[in-house]
Amino acid sequence: MAEGSLIFISGGVRSGKSSFAEKVAADLAKQTGGNLHYIAAGKAYDSEMEARIQRHKEDRRKSGMSWITWEQPARLAELSEFFGENDIILFDCLTTLLNNELFLAEDLWRKQDFQEKVSSGILQAIAEIHQRCKAIIIVSNEVLNELIGGNKLVFTYGEMLGRLHQKIVEVANQAYLVEAGIPVQMKGEPA
Amino acid sequence: MHFVTGGAFNGKSRWVRNFYQLENVPCQWVSAYKGETVTGFHKNGLVVMEGIEVWIRDWLKESGDNEVRTRWQNHLRDWLDWEKEDIHREIILIGTDITKGIVPMEAEDRKWRDITGWAYQDTAVLSDRVDLIWYGISRKIK
């Protein structure tokens, strides 16, 4: 069975990474005729977040394509059975998922075996979805080019996120860094 | 001299190990992350120094901004002189980019970030090659 493609897209806040990811997903769905799925890891816990989610929903509605939306703040693997082999999956975003998984329980994040369980769980979920569908597009954030300092929590989170990004980029068919709305292709053949 | 930079946990060291095939090539690896400092070099060959930003931070605890920058520039010159003495000598400097976040609250952190940025500019000017590492992928920028 031909494996689908895995596309990694990262960028700063408001860099246009989500719009770019949506466009990539919609273009692929037009080619394959499969369903378009949107997996949101974000939970609306305040009005600002709610507005942000609404804006993203509105953008997707305007794209003229029909999206199937899933809200999955943790345990991504649970969704994999719902996807078909021609489907395109857009997952937004890894930073939020890692945050939700890692800080699920008070102090567990300090334990190395828990950290490893979280990381391998995320990678496995991505691999499972990747195997089942035509394409999975993973959106994440650029947060590692600043002072991390002495805060253990921030350090642990940064280390885990960086390692996850490295592992995902390693298996990705394409990887993009979005700067000011411009996707810079870092890996793969130009689409 | 070869300067390798990029964000934290982006695989810079791993990239250097692969690029220079350090499994098979002997090298002197000096890591600021392990509290090591440069005291002198082995006779010949490759020298990798990682964690420039950590040395800068430590130096700023003892001296002022200008002194620290000058101290770094002097090191760079000394290392270049050493490198030039033998064709088998090569210095690889790895520095984590800490310059793209929100302005830090603490004056000390702002200073650290500033001097690190300048030190990287100084390093890039004197390097023959500069690579930017993004999650294990390199982009040669000089």
Side-chain angles (χ1 to χ4, degrees), chain B residues 50-64:
Chain B
E50 69 170 359
I52 298 174
E53 74 286 358
V54 173
W55 286 320
I56 303 285
R57 187 194 60 201
D58 291 347
W59 295 349
L60 280 168
K61 287 176 192 155
E62 351 177 305
S63 24

Side-chain angles (χ1 to χ4, degrees), chain B residues 2 4 6 11 40 52 82 91 100 103 110-111 121-122 124 133 138 140:
Chain B
H2 183 176
V4 178
I52 298 174
W82 177 83
I91 287 176
K100 296 195 180 79
V103 179
R110 290 198 293 275
K111 201 198 286 179
Q121 288 194 46
D122 296 336
I133 310 297
S138 67
K140 190 176 161 191

